[in-house]
Each structure stands twice: as C-alpha cells, then as structure tokens.
Amino acid sequence: MSEASRVPVAELIGVTREYRMGQNLVRALDDFSFTFGRGEYWAVMGSSGSGKSTLLNVLGCIDRPTGGDYKVDGISTARLADDELSEVRSRKLGFVFQSYNLIPQLNVLENIMVPLFYQDDPPEDGEERARKLAERVGLAKRLDHKPTELSGGQQQRVAIARALVNQPALILADEATGNLDSATALEILALFDELHAEGRTIVLVTHEPDVGERAQHVLRLKDGRIESVKRGQRNAAGAGA
Amino acid sequence: MKHSTLVRTVKLGISSLLLHKLRSLLTTLGVLFGTSSVIAMLAIGEGASEEAQEQIRQLGSRNVILRSIKPREDFATGGGQSVRVLSYGLTEEDLGRIAETFPGVARVVPVREIYEEVRFSDRMLNPRVMATLPVYRDVTGRVVSEGRFLTDQDEQGVANVCVLSYEASRYLFPVTSPIGEEIKIGADYYTVVGTTLDRVRQQSDLAGAGKSSSEVFIPLETGRKWYGNMQVKLRAGSREMEEVELHEIVVEVEDPANVELVANACREMLKRNHKQSDYEIVVPLELLMRAEETKRIFNIVLGSIASISLLVGGIGIMNVMLATVTERTREIGIRRALGAKRRHIVSQFLVECVVLSVGGGLLGVALGLATPLVVEHYAEMRTIITPTAPILAFLISSGVGVLFGIYPAWRAATMDPVDALRHE
Ligand SMILES: Nc1ncnc2c1ncn2[C@@H]1O[C@H](COP(=O)(O)OP(=O)(O)OP(=O)(O)O)[C@@H](O)[C@H]1O
Ligand SMILES: [Mg+2]
C-alpha cells in the first residue's frame, strides 16, 4: 500500500476553532489541515492546552470549526444542519470517553444500543449486534447490570462495545485509559490493538508516552498546530513496542 | 417503528423517574390535588344545585305561591293581657279577586293549615295538616301511590277522610297498609283513603319524621267546618290565638311566560288590600333562574380555582424538570454525542413531564371520584359526577404536563454537546 492509495476517512481542510474570552481570541485549532486514512491507528499527543480535545471534538462532529471544512467519510460537514450532523454522529462515529460516560438508568445491553436508537433508520439486528459485542468485550454475563454495578474497566469495555455497535468509519477516544489502573489500561489498549488489526480507524488522544508508543502513528500538537507527524509501519497488525 | 420508538421513550422516561421515586411522587401531588379537587367540588356542587332545583321544580315552575306569614310583633293587632289574638294573612277575598279578575290564571287553590296533632294508636305526629281542594294534587304535581287523593264528593259531603304523605304514612303505619284505617286529627277521626309519594327523596329516616315532608291532606270544607278560622297555636310554651283565613294560595299560570306578570299582579293586589305585610310571594320560576345563576357563578369560581391549582401543579413540574435537566446535563451531552437529535432530547424530557402529570392526573381522577362517595356517605349530601368532569380534568392535567415541560425540554435540547459533556 502506497501513500497515494490511502483512503481518507477524516479530512481536515484549513480548520480553525477560535474561542473568544472577553478581549482575547484563543485559537484552539489554527489553520489545521490533516488527513486520517482508513485502517490507521493514530495517537494524538501534545502538552495540555495544545488543542487535542478540540481536535477530537471537531473530528467527532460535536464541535463545529469556526473556519475551514471537515469531511468525514466523504461527507462535508461545514454546511450540515444540526440534525444532519447528529445523524452523521450516529452512523459514522464511535466515541470512547475518559470517564466512560455510560447512561446510569440503562443496563449494559441498552447502553450498547443507544447510538442505534438515534439513527433515522435503525438496523433490525441491533440487539443481536449488541449481544455479540458484549460477548466480544467479555461482558456477555452482565447484560442486565447497571453501570454502577461494574468496575471502571468493565464500564470502559461497555463504552467500547457502544462505540462499535453502529459500525463506525472512525473511532475516537479521549484519554480512554486515563481513569484506569495500568493493568486494566493494558487490557483496554489490547482491545484497541485488536480493532486496529481488524482494519478499523482509530484516533486516540493521550498524555502517556507508552500509550502513544502502542499506536501505529503519532500526531503531535502544539498551540493548535501540528508539531510533528511520526509514521510507523504501514499495516502493523497488533503494532507493539 | 414509530410506535416502538414511543414505547421505548415512555419506558425510558418511567425508568428515569423511578430513579427518584419520592421526588417524582411529590412532583405529581400538585396535579393530583388540583385534578381531584376539581372533580370532587364539581360533583358536590352539581349534587347540591340539582337538589335545590328539584325542590324548586316540585313547587311547580308554572306556579305562584302566596303564603300567609305572621307579621312582626310591633304591627300585630289585638294583644290583650290574657290571651292574644293575632289576626293576619290571606283572605277569601284575595282568593276571589285572583280567581275572577286575573287574566292568564289557570287554577287557584286555597290551603288552610290545621294546627293539630295526628295520632294512630300510640303513635303521634306533628305533620303539616292541610285542608285543600282535590285540584291541589294536580297543581302541585303530587303523585298518588296507594288509594286515591281527595275528590269533589269528599268536598261536597264534608267527609272525614284524609290522604297521608309517604313520610307520614310510614311513621304512623310502619308495617301495615294505612288505607281504610282511622286516624285521629286533634279530636276527630278520619279515614285514610290514600297516600302520596314522597316529594324530594330524602335520606332522613324515622328520626326525621314529623318534620318537613310529612303531610296530611283533608277536604277544605271539612277543615273549615271543624276547625274554623280561630286556632290555638302552642308555641314555645305560650298559647297564642291566631285568626287566619287562608294559609296558602297556589296560583297556576296558563303560560309559563306569564308567571312573572301574574306574580307582579298578585304583589300589587296584595299591597293594595293588606295594611301589614302579612304575606309572602314565592315564585319557583324566579328561584329556579336564580339557582341557575348561582350555579353559573359557582362554576366560574370553581374553574378559576381549578386553573390556579393546575397552574401551581404545572409550575411544580416545570421547577423539578429544570432541576432534573441541570442534573442530567452530562447524560444529555452523552446522548447528543452518540447521535441524539434535538427532537430526541425534547421528546425524552417532554415524555417525563407528561408521565408525571398524567400519573398525577390519573391518581387525581381516582381520588376525585372517591371523595364524593365519602362525602355522600358521611355528610348525607347528594353528589353527581358528570362523565365530562373526570375526562376534562384528565385531559387538562396532561396538557399541563406538555405545556410546562416545553421550556425545560427546550433548554435540554439546545445545550451545546461539548459543554454538556464537560459538565460535572
Ligand atoms: N469552551 C472553551 N472556551 C474557551 N476556551 C477554550 C474552550 N475549550 C477549550 N478552550 C481553549 O482551547 C485550547 C485548547 O483546549 P483543549 O481542551 O483542546 O486542550 P487539550 O489539548 O485537550 O488539553 P488537555 O491535555 O489539558 O486536555 C486551550 O487553550 C483552552 O483554553
Ligand atoms: Mg483534553
């Protein structure tokens, strides 16, 4: 596979995200252009305040750039209405958060199915898919447990299953291992490695160098701009240090 | 698909509300009490006004009733030291004038009251003993239940016969039929020839006998012959002599439209011919109209109270919902990030509001239907539940949920997902 044969999944074209704080104008993303290709596993790193979360929010279509355009799986988002953007999220994107963010009143199975619930035309086999995913992340026996009855690692597994249920084009994770002890974090990272091996596209924001090491490629930010791009092997199935 | 989505949303709403059972219950109380008080008050008001209207209707809406009343002491004539003789009231002359000169009058019926006790064996009763004409039955709409009413032959023959009202016959003859029995009115014996149905169904049992609706009818001539105009009345221990020609004149008007006209003519005539105000004029039709006006005002007042209480209930729901939205900001952020559209968030919170208010409304309807039963049982008041009342109350309470849920739901839906996700 050559550089030219990369299929773009997420394309940022001169994206700017400005925050106005009184008199000051903060540029969380500054004329940012970058392309994430299909099947790639990226770690986004950088110092605090460099714009990592902002980038991930833009990639996840929950934040709108103030300038430029962002294309996800070929769809240009700059002119989409709020509802259309929501539909893009429920079809194309999968989120894994630092603090798991499961919905407390729903059980494991229901939590996994949430993204399907919001699709305009939900698939018929949603529940079956959710069960398979629960099995895959090792929670087949806890389908009717509520999030409060699970450990942090188990909750994050549910969150990963939820991020996969809509078969997204892009999986986004912000500090997904930040709240976990190192053993559990390793399990979660192993899960990401598996997903990568299956050919899924992953963008993972992290502070920790060893987490960054495990990813295929590393993108470093500084003050809302790209500081460096470090590419690893092309098709590194289960890329390890 | 649409259907299952709604079911899911309602289920989700209920499970969210069940997370805070006490709070949800307290929130519904406003709507609950609003709804139930409306239904209960309507039922009680409807019952009371129906009872009043029935009583008035039984007086006859085509009738004008003239009654003798004892004038106030300072106008009283006579007044010796030993025995006072009070002379007052309607006269045969008044009767004649109305019967002969008033246009539009169908029938005129005189009534004399006899102040005597009624006895049968060892049972004693103080009913209204009325000496009157056979036509009285027709004009006042009394219904014979057993035997017959007074007849012209009774009148012409000055017969010693009487008709008992239901109340009177039930007290004097608890087990046997009164027909053919001889009862004693004062010192004379009368043969019972018939009984009439009770007028207003009252719940008073034997304890109430001897009061209002127990009546005994005898022929007018018989009353005139045996008791005269001068009668002794025992009142609060003292003896009083009263001279009254007629106690009541019932005037039946041909056309209901002329009732007021005839009533005014009577008023004029009596004013001219009586020196003292020893009479009163009762026009059931006027009373009926006044009762209807009162009912209308009652309904307006009730409506305002109802809207205020439902408003307060609605504000309660809105208040709790706003707090809930703030509390669940993060959940809203998660759902938005996972693809929820604004309308999903709106319907989620709106459904919770409606579940709360419909729940409160249903409980309120149940309580509102139960209250009149309790009132009826313990306060011996009639209550009427019109089918529209619970339906209307229920619809309005659900409407309140939607109305007061709109703002909190809109607040939830317009949150910025990134901000919402960052919320602790
Ligand atoms: N809602 C906001 N309002 C104003 N400024 C903001 C807002 N969100 C982010 N910023 C600013 O944008 C810049 C980038 O923030 P961002 O959250 O993307 O940083 P980050 O790289 O994720 O940092 P961290 O590693 O601490 O999470 C920061 O300077 C921050 O102050
Ligand atoms: Mg961040």
Side-chain angles (χ1 to χ4, degrees), chain B residues 373-422:
Chain B
L373 296 180
V374 175
V375 168
E376 194 154 314
H377 190 260
Y378 288 101
E380 295 201 348
M381 278 167 76
R382 182 150 34 142
T383 58
I384 297 173
I385 295 168
T386 55
T388 45
I391 295 170
L392 196 71
F394 178 72
L395 286 182
I396 290 176
S397 64
S398 333
V400 161
V402 176
L403 189 69
F404 287 89
I406 286 174
Y407 178 64
W410 176 81
R411 276 263 296 254
T414 51
M415 276 179 188
D416 179 51
V418 179
D419 287 344
L421 273 173
R422 210 180 283 139

Side-chain angles (χ1 to χ4, degrees), chain B residues 307-319:
Chain B
S307 358
I308 290 170
S309 61
L310 283 172
L311 185 77
V312 171
I315 291 171
I317 289 184
M318 178 150 110
N319 194 14

Side-chain angles (χ1 to χ4, degrees), chain B residues 191-205:
Chain B
T191 309
V192 180
V193 295
T195 60
T196 62
L197 282 185
D198 212 7
R199 313 205 63 199
V200 179
R201 291 241 160 267
Q202 273 157 341
Q203 307 208 321
S204 48
D205 215 306

Side-chain angles (χ1 to χ4, degrees), chain B residues 226-277:
Chain B
W226 296 115
Y227 304 97
N229 290 347
M230 197 78 87
Q231 294 193 76
V232 177
K233 192 166 199 176
L234 285 167
R235 192 175 272 150
S238 73
R239 282 166 155 265
E240 271 182 1
M241 294 293 280
E242 281 191 4
E243 188 179 23
V244 180
E245 279 184 35
L246 294 175
H247 289 82
E248 194 172 297
I249 299 175
V250 182
V251 183
E252 190 192 41
V253 183
E254 261 169 5
D255 182 354
N258 292 332
V259 167
E260 213 160 326
L261 228 63
V262 171
N264 284 336
C266 291
R267 206 168 277 133
E268 282 296 308
M269 186 276 288
L270 290 173
K271 207 171 175 183
R272 233 179 301 119
N273 294 298
H274 286 243
K275 282 197 235 34
Q276 45 185 356
S277 58

